[in-house]
Amino acid sequence: MTINGIVAGVILMVDYNKAFETAVAAVQSEGRYRVFADIERIRGRFPAALYHPNHTDDVREITVWCSNDYLGMGQHPVVVDAMRDAASKVGAGAGGTRNIAGTTHFHVRLERALADLHRKEAALLFTSGYVANEATLSTIARILPDCVILSDELNHASMIEGIRGGRSVKRIWRHNDLADLEEILKEFPDDRPKVIAFESVYSMDGDIAPIREICDLADKYNAFTYLDEVHAVGLYGARGGGVAERDGVADRIDLIEGTLGKAFGVMGGYIAASAAIVDAIRSYASGFIFTTALSPVLVAGALASVEELKKSNHLREKHQERAATLKTILTDAGLPVMSSVSHIVPIKVGDPVLCKKVTDYLLDRHNIYVQPINYPTVPKGTERLRLTPTPLHTDEHMQALLGALEDAWKALKLQRAA
């Protein structure tokens, strides 16, 4: 596609395709071009999947080590059966936005279940965790007059976009640095609205926020607390309510945001808060109002998953044990495992090209699937593998992974742990 222009009598042609090709080439030249793996999950056999290499018929079975289906709930019979039953009962789609025929009884039931999960008055569903953050934070900033949002420097891109969209004053505080957060809070009077936006589990480094101490500062300086628990809901707490539930501080958080697409194994995002807060977001957030509602089939599956994980702690306990075991195995082998106090197991590579070479090697030679984590997801120079062990990864899986990593590190001459 081109367009004409005239400069000093010369007709100029703008090559639009060329501009996009140049943009992609820039990403490729930095070694951070993303290639999607074409995989097909096998029901009942997670973490096994079928890999379909591009333009070939060489379909083969692989082991997935990077899924955010942290507990394998996307394969759980209770979830799959609930989705099948819902499809048989009500069909596929919701039929419109929540305002126009899209609110089904499944949506109402799931919102009640999520409010109960977090011991809040109300909850609100979104089509994804990204949309929940973007829509909610931008709406909060518009509703609160002269609002200041204090954002942890490692907050997720969805939170950053939501804050940007609200066009309020934004201040970034050093990651998990309480002293820095307090210094910024001191700059503003008590009667000015202040929102502290942060996550519980930071999914790339695997560290956890000091939630109780942040709440203490919020109380001291009259600030509103906004907590993203997407990498913690389902995984922590007696009923899967997240780190805030585990630490006994959920009642001190004004708004909790979560996802249904990770530990709960399905799709969607949500917020849980007071009835007044949820009603305001429902009434003002464009990202909620003008979006087709989640399919009731997905909602039925998410509801079954939430209720199942409320009842039983078995998968959470097994998940923590598997993560701890994998960290020990890889650390003892001298691999550069990065420090993590959560279920995330990052291994530092430190170079985008090498990071991609490692993951290609693991997939091509050992049928092990791990995605490279490069900039802008993580800072340049900290490129890594991000392993996510689940309760369904066995000791045999872990030994196979260790052998494959040892082979890759040797073949590619990668740096080991200091």
Side-chain angles (χ1 to χ4, degrees):
M1 183 183 297
T2 60
I3 189 169
N4 296 343
I6 300 177
V7 177
V10 179
I11 297 178
L12 302 177
M13 304 292 286
V14 178
D15 188 336
Y16 287 102
N17 265 344
K18 184 64 175 178
F20 292 107
E21 290 168 358
T22 300
V24 172
V27 176
Q28 291 173 327
S29 68
E30 295 175 17
R32 57 185 183 91
Y33 180 72
R34 298 173 190 237
V35 178
F36 296 156
D38 181 353
I39 67 171
E40 181 180 352
R41 281 156 62 106
I42 306 170
R43 183 188 170 189
R45 292 192 54 209
F46 184 76
L50 296 179
Y51 172 53
H52 297 257
N54 290 336
H55 313 301
T56 73
D57 296 324
D58 180 30
V59 178
R60 62 185 191 271
E61 186 171 310
I62 61 172
T63 302
V64 178
W65 273 100
C66 56
S67 175
N68 283 342
D69 187 358
Y70 291 129
L71 300 177
M73 292 302 292
Q75 303 281 311
H76 198 290
V78 168
V79 175
V80 176
D81 290 348
M83 296 177 73
R84 182 193 298 108
D85 293 345
S88 298
K89 183 177 182 181
V90 302
T97 67
R98 292 290 297 278
N99 302 297
I100 305 175
T103 296
T104 74
H105 190 53
F106 287 108
H107 292 80
V108 174
R109 289 174 59 200
L110 179 54
E111 286 174 341
R112 289 173 180 166
L114 292 168
D116 171 73
L117 175 66
H118 295 290
R119 306 299 192 193
K120 300 295 184 186
E121 292 178 343
L124 187 67
L125 287 172
F126 292 83
T127 51
S128 72
Y130 189 106
V131 174
N133 268 333
E134 185 176 36
T136 303
L137 280 165
S138 62
T139 303
I140 287 173
R142 289 195 296 269
I143 289 176
L144 295 176
D146 198 24
C147 174
V148 178
I149 298 187
L150 295 84
S151 176
D152 185 288
E153 67 177 335
L154 293 189
N155 277 345
H156 190 262
S158 58
M159 301 176 76
I160 295 169
E161 284 301 314
I163 295 167
R164 182 181 292 123
R167 299 182 181 179
S168 63
V169 173
K170 177 183 71 173
R171 296 294 299 276
I172 298 173
W173 48 289
R174 288 191 296 272
H175 177 54
N176 281 350
D177 189 328
L178 296 168
D180 190 47
L181 174 60
E182 182 165 21
E183 285 302 310
I184 298 173
L185 284 166
K186 287 178 180 177
E187 298 177 16
F188 303 98
D190 284 349
D191 61 356
R192 184 168 182 180
K194 297 172 288 294
V195 176
I196 303 174
F198 63 108
E199 302 181 37
S200 57
V201 176
Y202 288 84
S203 65
M204 292 301 129
D205 291 336
D207 56 341
I208 294 177
I211 301 176
R212 186 183 304 277
E213 291 79 5
I214 291 172
C215 288
D216 291 341
L217 290 175
D219 292 344
K220 183 176 179 179
Y221 294 98
N222 191 31
F224 182 101
T225 47
Y226 184 108
L227 176 62
D228 177 317
E229 287 255 44
V230 297
H231 290 277
V233 290
L235 303 177
Y236 297 87
R239 301 193 310 153
V243 177
E245 182 193 32
R246 183 198 70 178
D247 294 350
V249 293
D251 60 315
R252 301 180 65 188
I253 301 295
D254 293 299
L255 188 151
I256 293 174
E257 184 266 347
T259 183
L260 304 166
K262 293 183 171 60
F264 292 125
V266 190
M267 179 184 176
Y270 66 90
I271 60 170
S274 71
I277 293 170
V278 170
D279 201 22
I281 303 302
R282 182 188 70 87
S283 301
Y284 283 89
S286 296
F288 171 82
I289 295 170
F290 298 107
T291 300
T292 299
L294 283 167
S295 162
V297 177
L298 294 171
V299 176
L303 175 61
S305 184
V306 169
E307 295 296 1
E308 180 71 18
L309 290 176
K310 280 183 185 177
K311 294 186 299 185
S312 173
N313 219 22
H314 167 70
L315 284 176
R316 278 187 288 277
E317 292 173 349
K318 183 68 172 177
H319 183 234
Q320 290 295 316
E321 180 274 320
R322 295 282 78 189
T325 297
L326 183 62
K327 289 176 190 176
T328 299
I329 289 172
L330 300 183
T331 301
D332 288 349
L335 291 163
V337 178
M338 301 170 70
S339 177
S340 164
V341 295
S342 70
H343 57 281
I344 307 298
V345 185
I347 302 179
K348 186 175 180 180
V349 178
D351 178 272
V353 175
L354 287 175
C355 203
K356 180 66 167 61
K357 285 183 177 180
V358 173
T359 57
D360 287 347
Y361 191 93
L362 292 174
L363 186 57
D364 296 339
R365 302 290 186 92
H366 296 279
N367 294 323
I368 286 176
Y369 173 44
V370 184
Q371 269 288 7
I373 304 297
N374 295 331
Y375 176 85
T377 306
V378 295
K380 291 181 179 180
T382 68
E383 292 82 5
R384 67 199 66 176
L385 310 183
R386 176 181 176 272
L387 303 174
T388 53
T390 73
L392 302 175
H393 282 93
T394 64
D395 289 345
E396 290 73 20
H397 286 132
M398 292 188 183
Q399 289 303 318
L401 174 65
L402 173 61
L405 289 169
E406 292 273 23
D407 182 30
W409 248 251
K410 180 179 179 181
L412 298 173
K413 297 179 173 60
L414 300 177
Q415 183 175 343
R416 301 182 75 90

